[in-house]
Amino acid sequence: MTKPLWIKNASQLVTLASEQQGPRSKEAMSNLGIIENGSIWIENGFIEAVATTEEIKQRYENRLHEAEIFDANNLLVTPGLVDPHTHVVYGGSREREFEMRLEGATYMEIMNAGGGIHATARMTREVSEMDLFEQTSRRLNSFLQHGVTTIEGKSGYGMDLETELKQLRVMKKLQKEHQIDLVPTFMGAHAVPPEYKGKEDQFVDLLIEEMLPIIAKEKLAEFNDVFCEKGVYTPEQSERILEAGKKYGLIPKIHADEIEPYGGAELAAKVGAISAEHLLKASDHGIEMMAKAGVIACLLPATALYLREEAAKGRKMIDAGVPVAISTDCNPGSSPTTSMPLVMNLACITMRLTPAEALTAATYNAACAINRQEVVGSLEKGKQADIVVWNVKDYRELQYLFGVNHVKSVWKKGVKVVSNE
C-alpha cells in the first residue's frame, strides 16, 4: 500500500467527466467538466475522488495526515494527454528528405525514389532489437516531458515478417518497462515493398496468410492499420486486409485520403473502423458516412504543416458530427515531433478547433480512438491517475501561448514521472 496522493488547489481542474459514453462530437467536445479550485484524491495509482479542494478536505479530514500532498498553487490540472497515432518505433532519421522537400520534392516523389517509408524500413531492418528499444525509449521520454502518458505505436517499418515482429516485440517490452502506456497497432500494409512492386496482391496475400496469424497468435497487436492511398493500397486491397484482421480480433484503423480523395473515409465507415487517420482530402460524402458510423477522425495537423499541405477540415468534421481526435503522427519523415501541446496549438490555428475542442481531442477522444476511454482520457473515480499540472492558470492559455511546453509536473498511475519545478 502506498500513501494516498492529494493534488489540491488547481485553478481549473479539467476533468472531462461526462455521463455520455463513447467519443464526443459537436457541442459535447466543448464540455470540459471544469472544477474551479479543484482537487484529486488518489489511492494506489487510481483516482478515488474529484471535487473542490474544500470538499476533498472535508471528505478526507481524518486521513489528510496520511497523504502525500502536491499543491498546484492555482495552476491548471488536466488528464494526461493521449497520442492515438504514432510511428514511434523506428531506426535512423531522414533529415536529408527535409531539405529535398524544401527544394520542391513531393511526398510520393521521395517515396518512389526509394526514400520515405522505404528508407526507414531499411534502417529499421538493420538496427538491432536492443538499439531499437533504446531509440524508442528516448522518444517516449520526450513524450512524457510534453505531458503525454498514453501513446499508440504502429509497426510498418519492416514490411517483412521478421522486422514487423521486431517492432511489435519492442513495443511489448516497452509497455512493461517504460512509464508510458504503449498501445500496439500492426501496420504491415504501410507501403508496398520494392520487391512486390507490380505484385501488390501477392503481398496482400502474404500479409493475410502469413503475418496476421503469427501476430494474432503472439498477441502482439490490438489494431490493424493500412495505408489506403493511390500508389499504395487500393480500397479493395485495404478492405481485404482490414476484414482479415477482424477475423483475428484486430480492430481496424485506416490511413485515409491523405494525398488525394480515394474513398478511404467511406471505407472506414464500411468496415467499422474505430478511426480514420489523416483525412486531408476526405470527401464530403466520406465525412457524412463517418459521422453516421461513429468513426473517429484522427487528425494530424503537424504532418500537414511539415508537408506544407492544407490541414484537414477539422471544423467541418466536428460540425458534421464526426468525433475528432488529434495526434502528433510522430515519425521520421513527415512529422518528427513529440509535442502534443504544439499539435493542440495547430489544431486551433490551422483547423479552427476551439481550445476546449482541442483539449478534448487530445485526451478523451484520443483515448476512444485506441479503446482506452475506460482507463484514461478523463479525471474520474476509478480511472488511472494520469495527470498533468501546467504552468498556466486557464486551459485556453495552452493553445494561446503556442510553441511552448507548459508542463510543470506529470503523474503516471499516481507516480510523479516529470518534475519541472
Side-chain angles (χ1 to χ4, degrees), residues 88-92 123-124 126-139 166 170 173-174:
V88 69
V89 184
Y90 62 86
M123 289 183 277
T124 305
E126 292 166 2
V127 73
S128 72
E129 190 166 312
M130 179 58 70
D131 284 344
L132 191 60
F133 177 91
E134 292 175 354
Q135 288 183 40
T136 306
S137 184
R138 288 194 293 271
R139 294 180 201 115
K166 178 168 68 174
V170 164
K173 186 178 180 184
L174 284 164

Side-chain angles (χ1 to χ4, degrees), residues 65-310:
H65 67 281
E66 301 175 23
E68 175 188 348
I69 299 173
F70 181 87
D71 192 336
N73 281 318
N74 204 33
L75 294 176
L76 173 70
V77 178
T78 74
L81 303 182
V82 178
D83 192 331
H85 175 126
T86 82
H87 302 264
V88 69
V89 184
Y90 62 86
S93 65
R94 286 164 29 204
E95 60 277 359
R96 169 60 186 137
E97 290 180 17
F98 180 61
E99 276 189 327
M100 292 171 68
R101 281 202 192 88
L102 296 177
E103 292 164 358
T106 67
Y107 180 95
M108 293 305 292
E109 285 171 347
I110 291 170
M111 187 165 157
N112 290 333
I117 294 167
H118 297 303
T120 296
R122 288 193 297 273
M123 289 183 277
T124 305
R125 287 176 181 180
E126 292 166 2
V127 73
S128 72
E129 190 166 312
M130 179 58 70
D131 284 344
L132 191 60
F133 177 91
E134 292 175 354
Q135 288 183 40
T136 306
S137 184
R138 288 194 293 271
R139 294 180 201 115
L140 295 183
N141 292 342
S142 181
F143 272 106
L144 273 181
Q145 289 290 333
H146 288 87
V148 177
T149 52
T150 301
I151 188 172
E152 182 256 19
K154 304 179 192 294
S155 68
Y157 285 129
M159 294 167 285
D160 61 23
L161 180 59
E162 181 182 353
T163 313
E164 294 293 313
L165 290 174
K166 178 168 68 174
Q167 285 187 272
L168 291 167
R169 286 168 180 159
V170 164
M171 286 186 231
K172 191 170 186 176
K173 186 178 180 184
L174 284 164
Q175 169 63 12
K176 292 178 181 177
E177 299 186 19
H178 200 278
Q179 297 101 324
I180 278 183
D181 281 332
L182 182 56
V183 180
T185 294
F186 172 58
M187 197 180 179
H190 196 189
V192 178
E195 61 269 29
Y196 282 92
K197 200 69 177 174
K199 300 181 291 182
E200 290 83 0
D201 285 332
Q202 290 184 31
F203 185 67
V204 171
D205 292 339
L206 177 69
L207 276 170
I208 292 171
E209 295 169 10
E210 296 188 26
M211 294 192 190
L212 281 172
I214 294 174
I215 279 136
K217 182 179 179 181
E218 294 194 23
K219 299 180 179 178
L220 291 174
E222 294 182 34
F223 302 94
N224 183 29
D225 201 344
V226 58
F227 193 0
C228 180
E229 191 66 58
K230 189 172 183 180
V232 191
Y233 293 95
T234 67
E236 294 75 22
Q237 292 166 337
S238 300
E239 184 175 358
R240 280 189 63 206
I241 294 166
L242 296 176
E243 289 293 347
K246 285 163 68 173
K247 294 177 183 177
Y248 291 100
L250 299 179
I251 301 168
K253 286 178 170 283
I254 181 170
H255 280 50
D257 304 320
E258 179 183 5
I259 311 298
E260 60 181 83
Y262 200 52
E266 292 87 340
L267 179 59
K270 181 180 179 182
V271 301
I274 193 170
S275 63
E277 338 264 296
H278 287 287
L279 299 169
L280 274 67
K281 309 296 183 182
S283 70
D284 290 349
H285 180 56
I287 292 171
E288 180 184 345
M289 287 184 65
M290 285 178 57
K292 288 180 179 178
V295 178
I296 299 166
C298 187
L299 306 182
L300 317 170
T303 309
L305 177 73
Y306 202 78
L307 296 177
R308 294 182 295 166
E309 296 284 348
E310 185 177 351

